[in-house]
Coordinates of all heavy atoms in Angstrom, one line a residue:
A10 N -4.2 -3.8 17.6 CA -3.6 -2.5 17.4 C -2.1 -2.5 17.4 O -1.4 -1.9 16.6 CB -4.2 -1.5 18.4
E11 N -1.6 -3.3 18.4 CA -0.1 -3.3 18.5 C 0.5 -4.0 17.3 O 1.5 -3.5 16.8 CB 0.3 -4.1 19.8 CG 0.0 -3.4 21.1 CD -1.5 -3.5 21.5 OE1 -2.3 -4.3 20.9 OE2 -1.9 -2.7 22.3
E12 N -0.1 -5.0 16.8 CA 0.4 -5.7 15.6 C 0.3 -4.8 14.3 O 1.3 -4.7 13.5 CB -0.4 -7.0 15.3 CG -0.1 -8.1 16.4 CD -1.1 -9.2 16.3 OE1 -2.2 -9.1 15.8 OE2 -0.7 -10.3 16.7
V13 N -0.8 -4.1 14.2 CA -0.9 -3.2 13.0 C 0.1 -2.1 13.1 O 0.7 -1.7 12.1 CB -2.4 -2.7 12.9 CG1 -2.5 -1.6 11.8 CG2 -3.3 -3.8 12.6
D14 N 0.2 -1.5 14.3 CA 1.1 -0.3 14.4 C 2.6 -0.8 14.1 O 3.3 -0.1 13.4 CB 1.0 0.2 15.9 CG 2.0 1.2 16.2 OD1 2.0 2.3 15.5 OD2 2.8 1.0 17.1
R15 N 2.9 -2.0 14.6 CA 4.3 -2.4 14.3 C 4.5 -2.8 12.9 O 5.6 -2.6 12.3 CB 4.6 -3.7 15.2 CG 4.6 -3.4 16.7 CD 5.3 -4.5 17.5 NE 4.7 -5.8 17.3 CZ 4.0 -6.5 18.1 NH1 3.6 -5.9 19.3 NH2 3.5 -7.7 17.9
Q16 N 3.5 -3.3 12.2 CA 3.5 -3.6 10.8 C 3.7 -2.3 10.0 O 4.6 -2.2 9.1 CB 2.3 -4.3 10.3 CG 2.2 -4.6 8.8 CD 0.9 -5.2 8.4 OE1 0.0 -5.3 9.2 NE2 0.8 -5.7 7.2
I17 N 3.0 -1.2 10.3 CA 3.1 0.0 9.6 C 4.5 0.6 9.8 O 5.2 1.0 8.8 CB 2.0 1.0 10.1 CG1 0.6 0.6 9.7 CG2 2.3 2.4 9.6 CD1 -0.5 1.3 10.3
R18 N 5.0 0.7 11.0 CA 6.3 1.3 11.3 C 7.4 0.4 10.8 O 8.4 0.9 10.2 CB 6.4 1.5 12.8 CG 5.5 2.6 13.3 CD 5.7 2.9 14.8 NE 5.4 1.8 15.7 CZ 6.3 1.1 16.3 NH1 7.6 1.3 16.2 NH2 6.0 0.1 17.2
G19 N 7.3 -0.9 10.9 CA 8.3 -1.8 10.4 C 8.5 -1.8 8.9 O 9.6 -2.1 8.4
L20 N 7.4 -1.5 8.1 CA 7.5 -1.6 6.7 C 7.6 -0.2 6.1 O 7.5 0.0 4.9 CB 6.3 -2.3 6.1 CG 6.1 -3.7 6.5 CD1 4.9 -4.3 5.9 CD2 7.3 -4.6 6.2
S21 N 7.9 0.8 6.9 CA 8.1 2.2 6.4 C 9.5 2.6 6.3 O 10.3 2.4 7.3 CB 7.4 3.2 7.4 OG 7.6 4.5 7.0
P22 N 10.0 3.0 5.1 CA 9.2 3.4 4.0 C 9.0 2.3 2.9 O 8.2 2.5 2.0 CB 10.0 4.6 3.4 CG 11.4 4.1 3.6 CD 11.4 3.4 5.0
F23 N 9.8 1.2 3.0 CA 9.7 0.2 2.0 C 9.5 -1.1 2.6 O 10.1 -1.5 3.5 CB 11.0 0.2 1.1 CG 10.9 -0.7 0.0 CD1 10.3 -0.4 -1.2 CD2 11.5 -2.0 0.1 CE1 10.3 -1.3 -2.3 CE2 11.4 -2.9 -0.9 CZ 10.8 -2.6 -2.1
P24 N 8.6 -1.9 2.0 CA 7.7 -1.6 0.8 C 6.5 -0.8 1.1 O 5.8 -0.4 0.2 CB 7.3 -3.0 0.4 CG 7.2 -3.8 1.7 CD 8.4 -3.3 2.5
G25 N 6.3 -0.5 2.4 CA 5.1 0.4 2.8 C 3.9 -0.5 3.0 O 3.4 -1.1 2.1
A26 N 3.4 -0.5 4.2 CA 2.1 -1.2 4.5 C 1.0 -0.4 3.8 O 1.1 0.8 3.6 CB 1.9 -1.2 6.0
W27 N 0.0 -1.1 3.4 CA -1.1 -0.4 2.7 C -2.5 -0.9 3.0 O -2.6 -2.0 3.6 CB -0.8 -0.5 1.2 CG -0.9 -1.9 0.6 CD1 0.1 -2.8 0.5 CD2 -2.0 -2.6 0.1 NE1 -0.3 -4.0 0.0 CE2 -1.6 -3.9 -0.3 CE3 -3.4 -2.2 -0.1 CZ2 -2.5 -4.8 -0.9 CZ3 -4.2 -3.2 -0.7 CH2 -3.8 -4.4 -1.1
T28 N -3.4 -0.1 2.7 CA -4.8 -0.4 2.9 C -5.6 0.2 1.7 O -5.1 1.1 1.1 CB -5.4 0.0 4.2 OG1 -6.7 -0.6 4.5 CG2 -5.5 1.5 4.3
E29 N -6.8 -0.2 1.5 CA -7.6 0.5 0.5 C -8.6 1.4 1.2 O -9.3 1.1 2.2 CB -8.4 -0.6 -0.3 CG -7.6 -1.3 -1.3 CD -8.4 -2.1 -2.3 OE1 -9.6 -2.1 -2.2 OE2 -7.8 -2.7 -3.2
I30 N -8.6 2.7 0.6 CA -9.6 3.7 1.1 C -10.4 4.2 0.0 O -9.8 4.7 -1.0 CB -8.8 4.8 1.8 CG1 -7.9 4.3 2.9 CG2 -9.8 5.9 2.4 CD1 -7.1 5.4 3.6
D31 N -11.7 4.0 0.0 CA -12.6 4.3 -1.1 C -12.0 3.8 -2.4 O -12.0 4.4 -3.5 CB -12.7 5.8 -1.2 CG -13.6 6.4 -0.2 OD1 -14.3 5.6 0.5 OD2 -13.7 7.6 0.0
G32 N -11.6 2.5 -2.4 CA -11.1 1.8 -3.6 C -9.7 2.2 -4.1 O -9.3 1.7 -5.1
Q33 N -9.0 3.1 -3.4 CA -7.7 3.4 -3.7 C -6.7 2.8 -2.7 O -6.9 2.8 -1.5 CB -7.5 5.0 -3.7 CG -8.3 5.7 -4.8 CD -7.9 7.2 -4.8 OE1 -6.7 7.5 -4.8 NE2 -8.9 8.0 -5.0
R34 N -5.6 2.3 -3.3 CA -4.5 1.8 -2.4 C -3.7 3.0 -1.8 O -3.3 3.8 -2.5 CB -3.6 0.9 -3.2 CG -2.5 0.3 -2.3 CD -1.5 -0.6 -3.1 NE -2.2 -1.8 -3.5 CZ -1.5 -2.9 -3.8 NH1 -0.2 -3.0 -3.7 NH2 -2.1 -4.0 -4.1
V35 N -3.6 3.0 -0.5 CA -2.9 4.1 0.2 C -1.9 3.4 1.1 O -2.2 2.5 1.9 CB -3.9 4.9 1.1 CG1 -3.1 6.0 1.8 CG2 -5.0 5.5 0.2
K36 N -0.6 3.9 1.0 CA 0.5 3.5 1.9 C 0.3 4.2 3.2 O 0.0 5.4 3.3 CB 1.8 3.8 1.2 CG 2.3 2.8 0.2 CD 3.7 3.1 -0.2 CE 4.2 2.1 -1.2 NZ 5.6 2.3 -1.6

């Protein structure tokens, strides 16, 4: 959780961490 949280915050706003939700890419 610590690694994911830091990845999200560190890449915001650019390039923006992303995941797929119901087949859609979401930042």
Side-chain angles (χ1 to χ4, degrees):
E11 290 76 14
E12 290 169 334
V13 171
D14 176 58
R15 296 196 305 252
Q16 180 183 5
I17 292 170
R18 293 185 294 108
L20 298 181
S21 176
F23 182 83
W27 62 273
T28 192
E29 285 193 358
I30 304 178
D31 285 350
Q33 295 190 41
R34 181 180 291 202
V35 179
K36 281 188 178 183

